[in-house]
Amino acid sequence: MLSIGTTLATSAATMALLAGGSTAAQAADAHFVPEATEAGWDGVAATVTFQEVDVALEAEATTISVKVTVDVNVTCTRGQSILDIRRSATALEVAEYPLAEDGTVAGTAKLPLEVTGLKVPGYACVTRNLTITAALEDFWTGATLVHET
């Protein structure tokens, strides 16, 4: 869920980009490091850790959106009856992350994220496949990354 402060930061970043005040041209080398990106899910929240490097902004922080989608496939059985269920859920967080003096941004986003409908009363259910997709975007530098676990 987005807070008012997050919504205002997102609106300000979007308006600056549209007005041509973007520093994205100055930050053309900025990028997220795939090897430093991890995504996990514990059933009630998704956690994404990331690192962006070569950030050259005249600011102390940058605005990054983290969108996480969890896709789950389960098989539920009761006697001869078998149910194959696929469910997914998505969460989005937009927040400011501090910029270090060396041009790096390290962050961890924890997003509430529950996938409903994975249990059927009277059935034994087993997870067959779980996919976590995290999409990162820095509003100021233009850097993006899609990470799938």
Side-chain angles (χ1 to χ4, degrees):
M1 180 163 57
L2 296 176
S3 69
I4 292 173
T6 300
T7 302
L8 291 175
T10 304
S11 297
T14 303
M15 289 184 343
L17 289 172
L18 293 174
S22 168
T23 55
Q26 300 172 8
D29 293 335
H31 61 281
F32 290 100
V33 180
E35 299 81 17
T37 305
E38 294 183 14
W41 180 64
D42 64 8
V44 294
T47 302
V48 179
T49 57
F50 60 88
Q51 182 179 37
E52 185 180 10
V53 296
D54 298 329
V55 179
L57 297 175
E58 294 178 15
E60 294 180 6
T62 189
T63 305
I64 297 175
S65 72
V66 180
K67 179 180 175 183
V68 180
T69 301
V70 174
D71 292 302
V72 184
N73 293 309
V74 298
T75 298
C76 300
T77 57
R78 181 175 68 184
Q80 299 289 342
S81 181
I82 299 173
L83 301 172
D84 286 319
I85 301 171
R86 180 181 183 275
R87 297 284 187 265
S88 66
T90 300
L92 173 69
E93 176 184 274
V94 177
E96 286 193 358
Y97 291 90
L99 174 60
E101 287 183 23
D102 66 355
T104 62
V105 177
T108 300
K110 187 163 184 158
L111 299 81
L113 182 59
E114 292 189 51
V115 180
T116 60
L118 297 176
K119 296 181 181 180
V120 179
Y123 282 74
C125 299
V126 176
T127 300
R128 289 185 296 119
N129 188 34
L130 170 66
T131 304
I132 305 165
T133 305
L136 305 167
E137 180 179 6
D138 185 320
F139 289 175
W140 293 110
T141 68
T144 60
L145 176 72
V146 176
H147 175 83
E148 188 173 295
T149 303

